[in-house]
Amino acid sequence: PRSLLLKESGTTSAILNALIAKGIVETYIVEVGRLADADTSSAPCLSPLSTHQQRAFDEINDSWQDHDVCLLHGVTSSGKTEVYLHLINEQLKQGRQALFLVPEIALTQQMTERLRRAFGARLGVYHSKFSDAERVELWQRQLSDTPYDVILGVRSSVFLPFRNLGLVIVDEEQRFGVNHKEKLKEKYPKMNVLTLSATPIPRTLNMALTGIRDISVLETAPVGRLPVQTYVTAYSDTLVKDAIVRECARQGQTLILLNNIEGLDIYASKLRSMLGDIRIVTAHGQMQPTELEKRMSAFYDKQYDVLISTTIIENGIDLPDANTLIVLNAGHFGLSQLYQLRGRVGRRGAL
């Protein structure tokens, strides 16, 4: 496209127009669809399962013989990702489709990259940041002879049409209401459901422990993953500054949780005055989805050293270079939230 040409060449619109007028550069219009053609012939790109992951995989498949809902419970960053990727692949082998539900739009880009690496063009993405035309186009695609085999989306994805939905995966199931899951069961009674959580809601945990639903537990962290060290202390500007500087010195990143939207930019300005050249960005759930995704992607790509955000970082976001998490006003959070938040750091195996 023209915008990409201008960006890559470093030229201006005036120069480009002059080249077009002289016939040196030729332009033409090509109509393209927004949706890629699904390539069902390409083999999924999956990593082999560890012994513990393979055990969980087998337990879940066995549980679906008697129960249609299974909870995969594992400590945050215990390796649930590879298990559910292999379970999706198993459904595709049987000619069935899979729906992956995430609780936040902020999670979709990372999850898209993760699923795209595994399943390529067989993946479709659906959420509210798309225009009406784009959403209608995806609906039409799902009703066509070549629908997507895997759909990634937020809550509204439950209304999409599926030809042969075999598996629904609910990521961070504590963020979804019972109605969302029951609605899908009514629509597709033969499908299996896998719920993922390090901190399952009491209702789900009780049903799993009493045998109404099955549960598979991942208790062992992946090789190279070090335990997260936790410290509880009074707030100090010096302590925060030292922690951030130390993290930057080892090419890592820092997460700061401040669950106060009005205070994010104020605190960011304060840190910038304390830290000089260290790059700081803020993020919260009331931002426009495109702006939020842009900021989260920039942090993921290491364009920033510090991310100050609300609890949108609590679930599902994979930031491998974030090794330090500072939770301000930690007494305002529940134990399950703090436990979940600890899983956002320590994924690189660095102390």
Side-chain angles (χ1 to χ4, degrees), residues 19 87 116 167 214 226 245 266:
L19 293 173
L87 288 168
R116 189 84 71 195
L167 173 62
D214 274 335
L226 299 175
V245 170
I266 297 172

Side-chain angles (χ1 to χ4, degrees), residues 131-327:
S131 67
D132 290 343
E134 288 172 315
R135 278 183 274 179
V136 167
E137 194 170 348
L138 196 141
W139 267 76
Q140 292 172 339
R141 174 63 172 272
Q142 289 306 98
L143 292 168
S144 73
D145 294 332
T146 56
Y148 287 113
D149 295 316
V150 183
I151 291 289
L152 167 67
V154 291
R155 292 173 178 83
S156 57
S157 303
V158 301
F159 301 108
L160 280 171
F162 290 90
R163 283 189 166 192
N164 189 13
L165 184 61
L167 173 62
V168 173
I169 298 177
V170 183
D171 192 20
E172 310 296 351
E173 66 97 30
Q174 73 275 11
R175 300 291 296 275
F176 287 86
V178 174
N179 290 339
H180 291 100
K181 290 169 264 188
E182 296 304 325
K183 207 168 277 183
L184 276 168
K185 287 304 297 178
E186 291 174 11
K187 194 174 179 182
Y188 303 101
K190 294 183 179 180
M191 74 177 189
N192 295 317
V193 178
L194 178 68
T195 59
L196 311 172
S197 183
T199 54
I201 58 175
R203 178 181 183 271
T204 300
L205 188 57
N206 180 62
M207 293 176 76
L209 295 176
T210 55
I212 300 174
R213 292 182 180 177
D214 274 335
I215 181 171
S216 182
V217 181
L218 278 172
E219 299 177 306
T220 306
V223 176
R225 187 70 49 78
L226 299 175
V228 176
Q229 298 181 1
T230 305
Y231 303 93
V232 181
T233 183
Y235 178 82
S236 161
D237 285 341
T238 302
L239 184 64
V240 170
K241 179 180 179 180
D242 289 346
I244 295 173
V245 170
R246 177 180 179 273
E247 191 57 66
C248 289
R250 60 176 181 171
Q251 286 76 53
Q253 294 172 293
T254 301
L255 299 172
I256 298 179
L257 177 58
L258 175 59
N259 209 25
N260 176 2
I261 293 176
E262 291 76 17
L264 289 178
D265 289 332
I266 297 172
Y267 191 69
S269 298
K270 177 182 176 180
L271 285 188
R272 289 187 184 102
S273 65
M274 290 166 47
L275 296 167
D277 294 336
I278 289 178
R279 302 163 299 174
I280 299 171
V281 66
T282 60
H284 58 80
Q286 291 185 17
M287 288 179 169
Q288 288 295 319
T290 50
E291 178 63 21
L292 177 58
E293 188 170 300
K294 177 182 175 183
R295 294 192 184 195
M296 296 302 296
S297 297
F299 185 74
Y300 180 81
D301 293 336
K302 299 196 72 173
Q303 296 175 29
Y304 294 98
D305 306 303
V306 179
L307 171 65
I308 307 174
S309 79
T310 57
T311 52
I312 60 166
I313 62 169
E314 180 182 350
N315 297 302
I317 295 178
D318 184 14
L319 301 168
D321 290 304
N323 300 303
T324 296
L325 168 66
I326 300 171
V327 181

